[in-house]
Amino acid sequence: MKMVAPWTRFYSNSCCLCCHVRTGTILLGVWYLILNAVVLLILLSALADPDHYHFSSSELGGDFEFMDDANMCIAIAISVLMILICAMATYGAYKQRAAWIIPFFCYQIFDFALNTLVAVTVLVYPNSIQEYIRQLPPDFPYKDDIMSVNPTCLVLIILLFISIILAFKGYLISCVWNCYRYINGRNSSDVLVYVTSNDTTVLLPPYDDATVNSATKEPPPPPEDHFTR
C-alpha cells in the first residue's frame, strides 16, 4: 500500500469556476496587477497635484496630515514592487516557471498573517473597535449608526466579515500553491533519468517518450522455419 502525505490530499489541478490552477493564477495575477496599477496612478496624481487630494485636520478630526511626501513616496514604492511581483507571478504561470511564482505566494502568506493578526486583535481587545470609530471624522458616513450598535454584536459582525475574507484568501493561497506544485511536477517529468550499474550507465528517456516509442515500434518478424524435410 502506497503511503501518501497528509497535505497531498488537498492538491488539485482545478480551482474556482472549474478552470485550471494555471488559468486561475494568471487571472489572479492580472487582477492584482490592475488593482495596484490603479493605486499607483492615484498616488502619482496625488503627488503631482497635492492640493486636490489635501485634507485639512478639521476634515479628518485630528491634528495630522492625511499623507505627507515621505509616506506618498513609500506608498508609490510599495505599489511599484507589487506590480513587479504580480507581473512575475503572471509570467511564471504562463511560461510554467515555478520560481517566478514564489514572491507572489510569499506576499499572500504575509497578507494572510496580517489579516489574522487583525482578527486576533479584535477578539482580544473588542473595545478597540469603539475607540477607532470615535476617532473617525464627524461627517464619516453611518458613524452614528455604527456607534449605536451593540458592541458585542458589532464585534461578532466584524469577526464574521474577517473570517470570510480569511477563508477566501486561504483559498487563493491554495490555488497559487497548487499551480506551483503542478508546474514543478510537469517540469520534473521532462528530466531524463540515468540508471547506473557497476559496469554501464543507461540513459532513459522520459515516460511519455518511452510509451510513444514503444507503441510505434514495429513488431518483430515471425521466426523462420529452419527445419527441412
Side-chain angles (χ1 to χ4, degrees):
M1 184 176 180
K2 185 179 180 180
M3 298 297 295
V4 181
W7 54 84
T8 56
R9 67 185 64 180
F10 301 104
Y11 174 71
S12 176
N13 288 339
S14 61
C15 59
C16 57
L17 301 179
C18 299
C19 60
H20 198 270
V21 287
R22 278 188 61 210
T23 306
T25 304
I26 292 173
L27 293 177
L28 184 62
V30 171
W31 172 248
Y32 273 87
L33 188 64
I34 293 174
L35 287 181
N36 288 278
V38 172
V39 172
L40 181 61
L41 290 177
I42 294 175
L43 292 175
L44 291 177
S45 301
L47 188 63
D49 189 8
D51 296 333
H52 183 70
Y53 294 90
H54 177 74
F55 295 91
S56 61
S57 59
S58 60
E59 293 175 345
L60 295 173
D63 298 330
F64 55 90
E65 294 292 335
F66 176 69
M67 174 101 44
D68 55 7
D69 293 339
N71 293 331
M72 187 73 70
C73 294
I74 293 174
I76 290 175
I78 293 175
S79 298
V80 172
L81 180 62
M82 285 302 306
I83 290 175
L84 179 61
I85 291 175
C86 297
M88 289 175 59
T90 305
Y91 178 80
Y94 180 73
K95 291 294 186 179
Q96 299 188 19
R97 298 184 179 180
W100 291 62
I101 306 178
I102 294 178
F104 185 74
F105 179 75
C106 294
Y107 157 73
Q108 286 185 303
I109 297 296
F110 179 73
D111 182 61
F112 186 85
L114 287 182
N115 285 272
T116 305
L117 289 177
V118 172
V120 172
T121 303
V122 172
L123 186 62
V124 176
Y125 303 103
N127 295 328
S128 61
I129 300 176
Q130 297 290 334
E131 295 296 332
Y132 177 77
I133 296 175
R134 291 191 187 97
Q135 294 177 2
L136 293 175
D139 55 348
F140 188 82
Y142 306 105
K143 178 181 178 181
D144 297 333
D145 297 334
I146 297 175
M147 290 294 296
S148 62
V149 178
N150 187 8
T152 305
C153 295
L154 183 61
V155 170
L156 292 177
I157 292 173
I158 293 177
L159 285 177
L160 178 62
F161 182 72
I162 296 177
S163 300
I164 294 174
I165 293 177
L166 288 177
F168 182 69
K169 287 181 178 293
Y171 180 77
L172 295 181
I173 290 174
S174 66
C175 175
V176 176
W177 174 248
N178 289 336
C179 178
Y180 174 80
R181 291 189 58 186
Y182 169 78
I183 294 176
N184 264 344
R186 186 178 179 86
N187 292 337
S188 61
S189 64
D190 296 335
V191 178
L192 298 179
V193 180
Y194 288 88
V195 179
T196 305
S197 61
N198 295 330
D199 299 329
T200 59
T201 300
V202 181
L203 179 62
L204 299 180
Y207 177 76
D208 297 337
D209 297 341
T211 54
V212 171
N213 294 333
S214 61
T216 57
K217 186 181 295 183
E218 296 181 357
E224 295 181 358
D225 190 4
H226 297 286
F227 298 97
T228 56
R229 295 180 180 177

